[in-house]
Amino acid sequence: MVEQQEASEDAVMTRIGQAIMLLHGGDREEARNRFGALWSELGADGDALHRCTLAHYMADTQDDPGDELAWDLRALTAAEGAGGGRAGEHPDLPAVRAFYPSLHLNLAADYLKLQRPESARIHLQRARAAAESLADDGYGGGVRAAIDRLELRLGEQ
């Protein structure tokens, strides 16, 4: 039974990954359709890492900044749900925590697009604080550089 559940969870991550590849390949509409179908399948009680990952990327498929914000907020809510208030409760908690800098960075960018600079500043500060825990690798460096760029844009507001 455990092996079956793990295989099912791996299948979900594979499907999320396939939709991410479509998104990165420029097919936003098909990626949005696949993310939407997966979101419906997962439901509100689905695995927190799956919901966080899916919503995080679904936000990137949105044309309307308000819709993008809504999906980024869903991603943050899913990430927060993985902790359940007790450290170590969810087996994917370290993976979910690695999302926090990017989640807050995306929220800051969303709020900036919506001309809400104060909300953008709050999430940019949270992104910078969360980025301190990232490794000094390509991902960590990329997130920190994106935070710096958004900070410059926000300073011009």
Side-chain angles (χ1 to χ4, degrees):
M1 179 73 175
V2 172
E3 288 178 19
Q4 208 172 27
Q5 183 178 1
E6 287 177 8
S8 173
E9 289 178 9
D10 289 346
V12 171
M13 287 307 283
T14 297
R15 290 173 63 199
I16 291 171
Q18 290 168 341
I20 291 169
M21 287 173 32
L22 286 169
L23 175 62
H24 290 166
D27 195 347
R28 291 175 71 225
E29 185 175 349
E30 183 60 25
R32 182 173 40 240
N33 292 339
R34 290 192 189 191
F35 287 140
L38 273 166
W39 187 261
S40 294
E41 288 176 31
L42 288 175
D45 297 330
D47 178 81
L49 179 61
H50 293 162
R51 288 184 301 113
C52 178
T53 304
L54 197 151
H56 182 62
Y57 286 99
M58 177 65 131
D60 294 339
T61 70
Q62 303 305 304
D63 297 321
D64 179 83
D67 293 339
E68 187 175 0
L69 173 64
W71 281 105
D72 280 329
L73 288 169
R74 286 182 186 106
L76 182 61
T77 299
E80 290 171 343
R86 293 190 302 258
E89 180 178 315
H90 192 280
D92 293 319
L93 191 57
V96 172
R97 280 194 181 135
F99 264 117
Y100 276 103
S102 184
L103 293 172
H104 286 292
L105 175 63
N106 286 358
L107 285 165
D110 295 342
Y111 284 121
L112 189 58
K113 288 178 197 172
L114 293 167
Q115 299 178 5
R116 295 174 56 186
E118 289 309 311
S119 295
R121 282 185 183 89
I122 289 168
H123 283 281
L124 195 58
Q125 289 171 347
R126 291 177 183 168
R128 186 163 302 285
E132 291 178 9
S133 65
L134 293 177
D136 288 330
D137 57 10
Y139 175 74
V143 171
R144 286 184 193 93
I147 290 169
D148 291 342
R149 286 191 303 272
L150 189 60
E151 202 167 56
L152 287 173
R153 283 183 45 212
L154 192 56
E156 296 170 358
Q157 294 287 314

